[in-house]
Amino acid sequence: HSIRKLHEEKIQIHGMFVFGSDEDDRETLRETVSFAKKLDIDSVQFMILTPLPGSQTYETYKKESRILTYDWNLYDAHHVVYTPKKMTPFELQKETFKAMNKFYSWVQILKRVWARDAYNVVIKTYAKNIISKWKKDNRSYMKDMKSGVPYQSEDEKHLFPFSIRSKLKTIGIPGASLHLGSREFLKS
């Protein structure tokens, strides 16, 4: 009702949504896009939850070994930098990208053309171009995300936890070794 009233007064609506809480899954993200489109919001930002240093979320995720990278260039709310609870980091990244593509689709742009809404045609077309540029600029990042490789170089890989359980190896420890001190145990 409020959005309709604001539109009647020629006031544009910009929705800002954050994806990736511990309660979010792929369906939640998809429902959010449908919600934004159904309400006829003019423009949106679908951002990825970013645990910023000093925040409670950051401290919690760090304690739970869910932080994937300490490359601060990626802490921009457009890159996944932690392991979500109900999906993989790649799924969160991919679904966020799909959400932007769905909201700023050619169909949505054509609807605005049909409605003779030049302002929104420009905004949506501009957003579509930004999305295409992001995709192009982040090809290797997406490839790394899909394969489960951390964002850092191979030399730094061992320094940062990357919580994809399927990559973990299990080893057996002979019970006789457990009485040794830590240095002797590691040597053996």
Side-chain angles (χ1 to χ4, degrees):
H1 176 74
S2 298
I3 291 172
R4 189 171 10 90
K5 287 291 186 190
L6 289 168
H7 277 157
E8 286 171 8
E9 299 299 323
K10 307 291 186 224
I11 297 172
Q12 305 291 319
I13 307 298
H14 178 72
M16 298 177 76
F17 302 88
V18 178
F19 291 161
S21 79
D22 285 346
E23 300 305 314
D24 284 350
D25 58 19
R26 287 184 292 177
E27 191 56 36
T28 309
L29 277 55
R30 292 171 184 169
E31 288 171 1
T32 303
V33 178
S34 296
F35 173 77
K37 286 170 56 179
K38 179 182 172 190
L39 291 179
D40 200 27
I41 294 175
D42 301 289
S43 61
V44 296
Q45 285 177 278
F46 296 123
M47 309 304 282
I48 295 169
L49 176 72
T50 303
L52 298 175
S55 69
Q56 182 61 49
T57 302
Y58 178 83
E59 295 305 321
T60 300
Y61 287 7
K62 188 174 179 183
K63 194 179 300 179
E64 295 172 356
S65 296
R66 291 172 61 190
I67 302 290
L68 300 176
T69 183
Y70 297 97
D71 178 352
W72 307 122
N73 293 315
L74 297 174
Y75 280 64
D76 61 1
H78 295 291
H79 296 87
V80 178
V81 295
Y82 70 98
T83 302
K85 278 201 173 171
K86 294 187 175 182
M87 59 189 125
T88 67
F90 177 69
E91 288 172 325
L92 175 56
Q93 188 70 60
K94 188 172 125 187
E95 288 297 324
T96 302
F97 186 76
K98 284 169 71 175
M100 294 293 285
N101 271 327
K102 193 169 184 177
F103 189 86
Y104 293 110
S105 69
W106 287 116
V107 170
Q108 295 300 311
I109 293 168
L110 289 174
K111 283 182 183 179
R112 297 301 179 158
V113 168
W114 186 259
R116 297 180 184 183
D117 183 355
Y119 174 80
N120 268 303
V121 169
V122 170
I123 293 295
K124 289 182 184 305
T125 304
Y126 179 71
K128 186 136 189 76
N129 288 330
I130 289 174
I131 294 165
S132 294
K133 183 178 178 348
W134 190 96
K135 184 178 180 182
K136 181 181 164 198
D137 292 347
N138 287 278
R139 276 194 187 118
S140 80
Y141 162 81
M142 289 300 286
K143 183 180 172 193
D144 289 348
M145 287 288 291
K146 187 173 186 176
S147 68
V149 176
Y151 308 131
Q152 286 78 23
S153 69
E154 285 297 314
D155 296 338
E156 297 172 313
K157 186 161 87 171
H158 68 282
L159 298 174
F160 302 97
F162 196 73
S163 309
I164 294 190
R165 302 287 181 227
S166 65
K167 300 276 182 185
L168 296 178
K169 303 289 184 216
T170 304
I171 61 167
I173 300 173
S177 302
L178 296 177
H179 73 282
L180 302 171
S182 58
R183 176 172 279 164
E184 291 80 22
F185 174 75
L186 292 173
K187 278 184 184 178
S188 71

